Amino acid sequence: MSDLFEDPAPAPRNTPEYTVSELSGAVKRVIEGEFALVRVRGEVGRVSRPASGHLYFDLKDDRAVIAAICWKGQAARLQIRPEEGMEVIATGRMTTFPGQSKYQIIVEDIAPAGAGALMAMLERRRAALAAEGLFDADRKRPLPFLPRVIGVVTSPSGAVIRDILHRLRDRFPRHVLIWPVAVQGEKCAAEVAAAIRGFNALPEGGPIPRPDLLIVARGGGSLEDLWGFNEEIVVRAAAESAIPLISAVGHETDTTLIDHAADRRAPTPTAAAEMAVPVRLDLLAALDGQGARLMRGAAQAIGRRDQRLRDLARALPRLDGLTAGPAQRFDLWATRLAGALGQSIAARRARLGPLGAHLRPRLLADLVSRQTERLADRSRGLTASLDRRQERATDRLAALSARLPPAFARALSEADRSARRDRIALDALAARLHAAPATRLGRLADRLDALDRLRQTLGYHETLKRGYAVVRGDGSVVTTRAEAERAASLEIEFQDGRLPLSPKKSRRKADPPTAQGSLL
């Protein structure tokens, strides 16, 4: 019975043993060897972009999910950025991640699964940006009528820039600044956005002129070729531009998101140049037409006003009729004025005569003498009164000082000495005050003498002493020969007097002037 319940003998163990690392490495080698290069089609999900620059996302369908990684250097070269919900074809190699015991694909390139996927992603992006208000019509700025400087963002080697420059030269030559960029590929979006922001960052009045208008241009191409102009960074740069911007990307049938954010969309780069500037010859013709209209309008307005003025002038009275009455009154009062002035003078003289009889110099002198004596008497009385008051005050002060202690006596003595010093200083100031007017008058008199000497030096009499003469004709100074010939009589002034000449008719017309010196 005991044999029935014994455990069976263990079988021999021929299976090799692996460590976890060895097994993970073996699986990794098998997967990388079997799937060295694969292309996987799926929908993008759970996109992650950490600060390291690597790109992590999932590729999934309705039954399975594969983790995908795109390293930093390769992610910067991708033409299509994977976004959640986008159907793509990823090219890469399969590998494993032993740290989490999972397999994943290292992505080297991503392409859209078809135009439908790209268009679906483009429509989602357009709706998201439109919801932010970047495509609103009320935020679009009008284009300047005639920009001074035009900035062009395009490739410098394509036919687009030549078409734009040729069209601008034909219509209205302007100063053009070109910012070269890549117009397709992985660098397109970043360079176009940097160019738009760079033009906006130029300062006013700097060494590089700030453009008044921007043109972002590219020729036609497929949806993938134009995809850089659908990137969010480009759309936001165009919407934030403070300089009006024209989008001229692709042909007339091509539409990109920058067309919605720009202030104006042009169907072709050549059409953008036509929008940027007017035709110079058309402007000159319009200016000539407006000038002609202005001249005709001005002539017609002047003619109407002239006719109106003549009509009003006929309704006015004659000038002599308006001035006849005032002129007659003026003549009447002018004849009366001389007699009225004489009568007024005679009346005032009659009133002044009786009053002047009482105003004799002797009476005035006697009045002044009496007032002077009266003033002297009052001055003597005032001096005596002041002396008596000073004596009484001195006696009273002496009596009070005798009753005060010695300390107070010394203080009073010191105060008396201070008062005497103040009186001396006051007398000195009074003396200076009395002398100041005389000193001031002396300085002013000296200055007046100096100015008079200067006047005499600069006067023409000093010039006459140096041999010159002044010629006068009919009472005024003569400075030219023509004036001398027209004068009826001449007079020459020398330093010692004036010499009148004989009347003009007695002198010979051809005689040259004989006066010594020059005529002033």
Side-chain angles (χ1 to χ4, degrees), residues 50 319 342 403 466:
L319 180 61
R403 295 169 58 186
R466 295 197 297 271

Side-chain angles (χ1 to χ4, degrees), residues 135-467:
F135 302 155
D136 292 345
D138 55 356
R139 54 157 295 278
K140 297 182 183 295
R141 294 167 296 275
L143 302 183
F145 178 72
L146 185 61
R148 181 177 54 90
V149 180
I150 300 175
V152 180
V153 180
T154 188
S155 173
S157 59
V160 171
I161 186 62
R162 292 194 296 271
D163 293 342
I164 292 176
L165 295 177
H166 177 72
R167 199 58 174 165
L168 290 176
R169 192 181 307 112
D170 289 344
R171 291 174 65 87
F172 206 120
R174 295 282 85 187
H175 188 181
V176 178
L177 294 179
I178 302 174
W179 195 302
V181 296
V183 293
Q184 70 181 55
E186 65 275 5
K187 297 181 180 179
C188 172
E191 291 185 1
V192 171
I196 295 174
R197 292 192 171 99
F199 273 132
N200 279 270
L202 291 176
E204 294 284 352
I208 300 177
R210 178 185 171 91
D212 302 318
L213 179 67
L214 297 183
I215 298 177
V216 179
R218 187 206 188 281
S222 63
L223 180 62
E224 290 79 3
D225 294 337
L226 303 179
W227 191 256
F229 298 93
N230 291 319
E231 294 291 345
E232 183 176 347
I233 184 175
V234 175
V235 176
R236 293 190 181 276
E240 296 169 359
S241 175
I243 304 174
L245 186 143
I246 298 177
S247 172
V249 177
H251 296 305
E252 187 171 0
T253 57
D254 299 325
T255 302
T256 57
L257 294 184
I258 192 176
D259 296 336
H260 300 290
D263 298 298
R264 188 72 64 85
R265 177 186 181 269
T268 61
T270 303
E274 294 176 355
M275 291 180 181
V277 295
V279 180
R280 186 172 182 270
L281 295 179
D282 292 347
L283 289 180
L284 292 176
L287 184 61
D288 293 340
Q290 295 293 338
R293 289 182 59 189
L294 179 62
M295 294 299 295
R296 289 195 300 271
Q300 293 174 2
I302 293 174
R304 288 194 300 268
R305 284 166 174 77
D306 182 65
Q307 182 63 38
R308 178 63 175 168
L309 182 60
R310 287 196 297 269
D311 295 341
L312 294 175
R314 286 194 294 268
L316 292 176
R318 297 178 59 84
L319 180 61
D320 52 0
L322 292 175
T323 59
Q328 187 176 0
R329 287 194 299 272
F330 179 77
D331 295 337
L332 178 61
W333 288 108
T335 56
R336 295 181 180 180
L337 181 61
L341 289 176
Q343 294 175 3
S344 177
I345 293 173
R348 282 167 172 75
R349 184 175 296 162
R351 290 176 55 190
L352 184 62
L355 296 176
H358 300 287
L359 296 176
R360 296 187 179 87
R362 181 56 181 272
L363 295 177
L364 292 176
D366 295 341
L367 179 60
V368 171
S369 177
R370 289 196 300 271
Q371 294 295 335
T372 304
E373 292 177 358
R374 183 179 178 186
L375 183 61
D377 292 341
R378 291 190 176 183
S379 177
R380 287 191 295 271
L382 181 60
T383 303
S385 177
L386 290 176
D387 292 340
R388 288 193 298 271
R389 290 186 62 182
Q390 185 176 4
E391 290 176 359
R392 289 196 299 270
T394 302
D395 296 340
R396 184 179 179 186
L397 182 61
L400 292 174
S401 61
R403 295 169 58 186
L404 292 175
F408 286 99
R410 287 194 298 273
L412 290 175
S413 177
E414 182 64 27
D416 185 53
R417 287 195 297 273
S418 177
R420 284 198 297 273
R421 287 195 299 270
D422 292 342
R423 188 179 299 110
I424 294 173
L426 183 60
D427 293 340
L429 290 176
R432 291 178 59 188
L433 180 61
H434 289 299
T439 305
R440 176 65 175 172
L441 289 176
R443 287 198 296 266
L444 292 177
D446 295 339
R447 184 179 178 186
L448 184 61
D449 293 340
L451 291 175
D452 185 64
R453 289 193 298 273
L454 179 62
R455 179 189 63 79
Q456 294 178 359
T457 302
L458 298 178
Y460 78 97
H461 293 91
E462 297 296 328
T463 306
L464 295 178
K465 293 179 181 179
R466 295 197 297 271

